[in-house]
Amino acid sequence: MDPLAYWIGFNRVRGIGPARLRALLDAFGTIDAAWLAPEDALRHVGLDRRSVSSLLEARRGLDLPAELARIQRAGVRALTWDDPAYPQFLLTINDPPPVLYVLGELRLEDAWAVAVVGTRTASVYGREAARVLASDLARAGVTIVSGLARGIDAQAHRAALDAGGRTVAVLGSGVDIIYPWENRKLAEEIAGRGALVSEYGLGTKPEASNFPPRNRIISGLSRGVIVVEAGDQSGALITADFAAEQGREVFAVPGGIFQRGSRGTNRLIRDGAQPVLSANDVLEVLNMTAVAEHVEAQMLLPSDATEALLMEQLSDDPAHVDEVGRAVALPIATVSSTLALMELKGLVRQVGGMKYVRAREAGPLYRVD
Amino acid sequence: MDPLAYWIGFNRVRGIGPARLRALLDAFGTIDAAWLAPEDALRHVGLDRRSVSSLLEARRGLDLPAELARIQRAGVRALTWDDPAYPQFLLTINDPPPVLYVLGELRLEDAWAVAVVGTRTASVYGREAARVLASDLARAGVTIVSGLARGIDAQAHRAALDAGGRTVAVLGSGVDIIYPWENRKLAEEIAGRGALVSEYGLGTKPEASNFPPRNRIISGLSRGVIVVEAGDQSGALITADFAAEQGREVFAVPGGIFQRGSRGTNRLIRDGAQPVLSANDVLEVLNMTAVAEHVEAQMLLPSDATEALLMEQLSDDPAHVDEVGRAVALPIATVSSTLALMELKGLVRQVGGMKYVRAREAGPLYRVD
């Protein structure tokens, strides 16, 4: 069975999150071995009784092939920690989701992402600030990450799309369950020009308890988080907390001291967040004023997971297509056609006899210096 | 002649400011000796040719007794560096004005002052923020310092008065020339419940070049400067610069990023100023949350310059009223009645035979710990 099935299986087990799954992988070596481990071995490596019984129940109850098929039918990609297409910057947080369901496409350039978040009950001022900032950042080549909520979030996604930029929505439900319903059209556009992502399996309802953990992914995918407008209790403040914990820059848009919606942001600034007067403030603090150039330079990097995989296999030492294909476990036809495209881009060079070398040393994937 | 006359004389000499006057005092020992020094001695101590000729011209042209009489007629006090009633905290700046003309009364408690300044073209938001902050600070026992300009300044003075607090206006003209004219009624009230102060002699017109140096006195008198609203070019930003140079805390009120009047304040915050969401933010940063108690405790300190002078003459060693009167060069009647009042306050004690001692060791004047 495709090992992905086991990742998805674990993801359905209540009580086994990133930390326990990491421990199981360390103990059993592979996801297959972890999933198939006998009960006493699970206990032996220190998994608590409750998690063991959840896991055993899931093993018996889950139809993994059906889960895989459902994902495929939905046109969704499930990225796991060991997938080179998994957003590498998200791996730098403490508890990256073991599986990230993606509807749409995450690209390498989405590593230059900034989150734009805020209250659902946005004021006219908040909406306009979200629009201007998201729009200017998107035009500068920054991917706008947000939570598809009403108010500031929706405005940020919309502005990024209108500016011709990329945007990623992180959901608190399965990527096939759009909430709120009024944003379904927006979600469709996002899937077409960015991605809807979630750590929750398909069909997961938007339960309230899903949203706080969801916020760690919004900040985890981003270089910085801009809180545009937030009352005292806004969930955006949770995202700001995650951002600070994760070492991401926290930004806030100042506002009038008598405006409810600016209480949270003004307080963030008082407590040390960077005030944002314009998109430039964000680009400067993040050292991203040259994102547009970075993005251009990066066209010379692999542009999807297959290319990245092949790139990893290649070096200055000529490698035969068959050999590369075996190493990456992909059909030779795919390998050949991808390498041909990569040669056109100047990434690889055919040195004769179906043998390829890297055209140059590529920078590390998904990283911004 | 009263040495004050020479201070006032120097203050009328174009080209002799705080630095040159300090040098002259260092060279000649007393203000009298400096004023009366022969031309070659002036040159000898390094005074430049131009300043020497200005000084000589002033000596010939000024009618010092008439200047003194004019000040007295106007009910104005002229405080000099060596006057114990000179605001001691203002002496901590680089270039404190050698003479400070005061219409009204500066009190010891005015050492707990905060400046509230901003644009002349204030918005409804700016006015309201100035009102709320000045009012809350005044109620907490803080003296509000500002510049009597239209807009934020006037609003700050007005709010302090309405709150029953104290307020000091620093002018760019003589204290007998109120500018702008529309604030004359406000100025009258300020003189009654605080003070109008200026480094410029009586009759000095509000020339544009007077205002930037005036701003250093606003910040110099204050523990911190709050810029409430300021466009890109507002004079309030000059006051903020002086405050930073003088080691005073710079505060700014955040506002909407599309508001012209909040551009200056939001930038100040971006560049490191403390954002002010409420008066409490100011009190906390300045460690002044206990100002009300300080002020109460300070009622046990001399409450005006005469009391301060007398206090300085007294010790545990009983001193006769005549002796004290000679030392401070005040009429015996004034000394007697003041000492009687001070005894009621518990500051001094009559030990019999018209002899007084201090009731207790007083803290240093005008200082906040």
Side-chain angles (χ1 to χ4, degrees):
Chain A
M1 178 132 55
D2 186 340
L4 177 59
Y6 303 121
W7 287 95
I8 286 166
F10 273 116
N11 208 45
R12 291 283 192 188
V13 180
R14 194 169 291 269
I16 297 193
R20 289 202 173 96
L21 184 60
R22 171 59 60 206
L24 289 172
L25 282 171
D26 288 347
F28 296 104
T30 65
I31 194 84
D32 316 44
W35 182 262
L36 301 168
E39 181 172 349
D40 56 347
L42 290 169
R43 285 200 207 285
H44 188 72
V45 302
L47 198 65
D48 62 291
R49 182 183 301 240
R50 212 162 162 180
S51 300
V52 169
S53 81
S54 291
L55 175 52
L56 295 177
E57 195 190 315
R59 278 193 204 164
R60 279 190 305 269
L62 285 178
D63 180 352
L64 295 183
E67 290 272 343
L68 279 186
R70 179 180 187 181
I71 289 168
Q72 202 159 19
R73 263 200 319 277
V76 168
R77 271 189 80 178
L79 304 175
T80 61
W81 286 341
D82 60 356
D83 191 324
Y86 190 99
Q88 300 296 299
F89 194 51
L90 181 59
L91 282 181
T92 64
I93 72 174
N94 266 335
D95 46 3
V99 181
L100 203 59
Y101 299 85
V102 179
L103 184 62
E105 189 191 8
L106 284 179
R107 293 199 194 153
L108 280 169
E109 68 228 56
D110 297 328
W112 288 282
V114 168
V116 177
V117 299
T119 181
R120 290 167 165 78
T121 55
S123 71
V124 170
Y125 167 59
R127 281 174 206 274
E128 182 62 6
R131 191 186 67 74
V132 169
L133 293 171
S135 169
D136 289 351
L137 287 170
R139 255 191 293 271
V142 172
T143 297
I144 302 299
V145 177
S146 196
L148 197 70
R150 287 190 186 94
I152 299 297
D153 288 16
Q155 187 75 359
H157 290 300
R158 167 57 56 208
L161 293 170
D162 289 351
R166 292 186 52 77
T167 185
V168 171
V170 185
L171 311 188
S173 54
V175 293
D176 57 338
I177 306 273
I178 299 308
Y179 175 84
W181 181 235
E182 69 200 64
N183 287 341
R184 64 195 183 281
K185 172 79 177 52
L186 177 62
E188 238 172 67
E189 287 182 63
I190 293 170
R193 288 262 297 290
L196 303 175
V197 310
S198 174
E199 67 178 316
Y200 301 109
L202 295 185
T204 305
K205 299 227 170 65
E207 289 178 42
S209 62
N210 293 352
F211 288 86
R214 180 278 307 260
N215 291 355
R216 86 186 192 288
I217 304 177
I218 292 180
S219 52
L221 282 168
S222 308
R223 304 278 151 182
V225 170
I226 306 175
V227 182
V228 175
E229 206 176 32
D232 288 325
Q233 306 290 332
S234 172
L237 299 176
I238 298 174
T239 312
D241 282 345
F242 278 125
E245 267 175 48
Q246 295 165 354
R248 273 50 168 164
E249 200 68 48
V250 179
F251 297 93
V253 177
I257 60 175
F258 307 120
Q259 302 300 315
R260 277 168 62 102
S262 295
R263 289 182 61 141
T265 54
N266 284 339
R267 282 186 192 174
L268 283 174
I269 292 169
R270 190 185 56 190
D271 298 345
Q274 294 279 347
V276 176
L277 281 59
S278 71
N280 252 342
D281 289 336
V282 177
L283 296 174
E284 271 172 25
V285 169
L286 294 178
N287 247 325
M288 284 165 69
T289 40
V291 166
E293 295 99 271
H294 277 156
V295 167
E296 195 167 326
Q298 186 217 33
M299 291 305 290
L300 303 175
L301 290 177
S303 71
D304 67 22
T306 307
E307 290 191 3
L309 260 176
L310 296 181
M311 202 65 166
E312 264 189 13
Q313 293 304 318
L314 295 176
S315 66
D316 291 339
D317 207 5
H320 193 273
V321 170
D322 287 344
E323 184 190 336
V324 174
R326 268 195 305 277
V328 298
L330 283 174
I332 299 305
T334 309
V335 172
S336 301
S337 62
T338 308
L339 284 173
L341 260 169
M342 289 170 78
E343 190 169 27
L344 285 174
K345 287 195 203 169
L347 286 169
V348 302
R349 205 150 40 85
Q350 206 187 146
V351 291
M354 297 292 276
K355 289 188 169 181
Y356 283 83
V357 291
R358 284 195 179 199
R360 82 185 68 74
E361 207 47 45
L365 306 190
Y366 279 104
R367 304 219 183 269
V368 178
D369 38 47
Chain B
M1 177 129 63
D2 186 339
L4 178 59
Y6 303 122
W7 287 94
I8 286 166
F10 273 116
N11 207 47
R12 292 282 192 190
V13 180
R14 195 168 290 270
I16 297 193
R20 290 203 173 96
L21 185 59
R22 171 59 59 206
L24 289 173
L25 282 171
D26 288 346
F28 295 104
T30 66
I31 193 85
D32 316 44
W35 182 261
L36 302 168
E39 182 173 347
D40 57 348
L42 290 169
R43 287 200 205 284
H44 187 71
V45 301
L47 200 64
D48 61 291
R49 181 183 301 238
R50 210 161 163 183
S51 300
V52 169
S53 80
S54 291
L55 175 53
L56 295 177
E57 195 190 315
R59 277 193 205 165
R60 279 188 305 269
L62 286 178
D63 180 352
L64 295 182
E67 289 273 343
L68 278 185
R70 180 179 186 181
I71 289 168
Q72 201 158 21
R73 263 199 321 276
V76 168
R77 271 189 79 177
L79 304 175
T80 61
W81 286 342
D82 60 355
D83 190 323
Y86 190 99
Q88 299 297 299
F89 194 52
L90 181 59
L91 282 181
T92 63
I93 72 174
N94 266 336
D95 46 3
V99 181
L100 203 60
Y101 298 85
V102 179
L103 184 62
E105 189 191 9
L106 283 179
R107 293 200 194 152
L108 281 169
E109 68 228 56
D110 297 328
W112 288 282
V114 168
V116 177
V117 298
T119 180
R120 289 167 165 77
T121 55
S123 71
V124 170
Y125 167 59
R127 281 172 205 272
E128 182 61 5
R131 191 186 67 74
V132 168
L133 292 172
S135 169
D136 290 352
L137 287 170
R139 256 192 292 271
V142 171
T143 296
I144 302 301
V145 177
S146 196
L148 198 69
R150 287 188 187 94
I152 300 297
D153 288 17
Q155 186 75 358
H157 290 300
R158 166 57 55 208
L161 293 170
D162 289 351
R166 291 184 55 77
T167 185
V168 171
V170 185
L171 311 188
S173 54
V175 294
D176 56 339
I177 306 273
I178 299 308
Y179 174 83
W181 182 235
E182 69 200 62
N183 287 341
R184 63 196 184 281
K185 170 79 177 51
L186 177 62
E188 238 172 65
E189 286 183 63
I190 294 170
R193 289 261 298 290
L196 302 176
V197 309
S198 173
E199 68 178 317
Y200 301 108
L202 296 185
T204 305
K205 299 227 168 67
E207 287 178 43
S209 62
N210 293 351
F211 288 86
R214 181 277 306 260
N215 291 355
R216 86 186 192 287
I217 305 177
I218 292 180
S219 51
L221 283 168
S222 308
R223 305 276 151 183
V225 170
I226 306 175
V227 182
V228 175
E229 206 175 31
D232 287 326
Q233 306 290 334
S234 173
L237 299 177
I238 298 175
T239 313
D241 281 345
F242 278 125
E245 266 175 49
Q246 295 166 352
R248 273 49 169 165
E249 200 68 49
V250 179
F251 297 93
V253 177
I257 60 176
F258 306 120
Q259 302 301 315
R260 277 168 63 102
S262 296
R263 289 182 61 142
T265 55
N266 284 340
R267 283 187 192 174
L268 282 174
I269 292 169
R270 191 185 57 190
D271 298 345
Q274 294 278 347
V276 176
L277 282 60
S278 71
N280 252 342
D281 289 336
V282 178
L283 296 174
E284 271 170 25
V285 169
L286 294 178
N287 246 326
M288 283 166 69
T289 40
V291 166
E293 294 100 89
H294 277 157
V295 168
E296 196 167 327
Q298 186 217 31
M299 290 304 291
L300 303 175
L301 291 176
S303 69
D304 68 22
T306 307
E307 290 190 3
L309 262 176
L310 295 181
M311 202 65 166
E312 263 190 12
Q313 293 304 317
L314 295 176
S315 67
D316 291 340
D317 206 6
H320 193 273
V321 170
D322 288 344
E323 183 191 337
V324 175
R326 268 194 306 276
V328 298
L330 283 175
I332 298 306
T334 309
V335 173
S336 300
S337 61
T338 308
L339 284 172
L341 259 170
M342 289 170 78
E343 190 169 26
L344 285 175
K345 288 195 204 169
L347 285 169
V348 302
R349 204 150 40 83
Q350 204 187 147
V351 292
M354 297 293 278
K355 288 188 167 178
Y356 283 82
V357 292
R358 283 195 180 198
R360 82 186 67 75
E361 207 47 46
L365 306 189
Y366 279 106
R367 303 225 183 265
V368 177
D369 36 49

